[in-house]
Amino acid sequence: SAAFAPMPRAAISTQTAHPIKASPFPTSLAMAEDMSWEGEYPPSKVLGPIMSKMPSGLLGLISIVCAGACVYSIAQSGVLQQEAGALSSGSWVKWQYILGSFGGPLAWGTHVAAWIQRKNGM
């Protein structure tokens, strides 16, 4: 095959690449707002434009729902694993339980957001 044939020396370029020029437009990273804080807890603005306006109780409720979805998904996957031949065939893997398992990290994040909002009086 010609794909692995050696290249003649004349075909190999020895030119150096041109340096990358900086863009005249600032990048989104350069325009980012400073999110540092002093004290025990951060201001609500660290939660972004949507969650910074949500009350602590609502974020806590969302956290409980997400945790419940995760626990339910793990429990149901465990039930399906007990069926004969389920592990060898993979029939215990269901998309809805995979989706529900993302509730664990979401529950953790929303409970932290609820704590931040509670500390900020929301």
Side-chain angles (χ1 to χ4, degrees):
S1 153
F4 298 106
M7 296 289 294
R9 270 216 193 272
I12 299 173
S13 175
T14 58
Q15 294 178 354
T16 58
H18 298 291
I20 299 172
K21 296 180 182 177
S23 172
F25 304 106
T27 63
S28 59
L29 185 59
M31 297 184 324
E33 186 178 346
D34 181 26
M35 292 291 171
S36 60
W37 72 89
E38 292 186 23
E40 180 186 357
Y41 52 90
S44 294
K45 70 180 181 178
V46 301
L47 300 176
I50 297 172
M51 288 201 308
S52 65
K53 295 172 181 62
M54 296 174 81
S56 174
L58 179 59
L59 288 167
L61 182 64
I62 292 170
S63 180
I64 290 169
V65 169
C66 289
C70 183
V71 169
Y72 178 78
S73 296
I74 291 169
Q76 292 304 322
S77 290
V79 169
L80 290 176
Q81 287 176 2
Q82 303 305 316
E83 293 179 4
L87 291 177
S88 60
S89 69
S91 65
W92 65 278
V93 179
K94 303 289 183 195
W95 70 268
Q96 61 268 31
Y97 299 146
I98 293 171
L99 187 64
S101 70
F102 287 106
L106 291 172
W108 178 83
T110 51
H111 107 272
V112 170
W115 177 80
I116 290 171
Q117 290 296 73
R118 170 159 279 163
K119 289 291 192 175
N120 284 308
M122 288 195 64

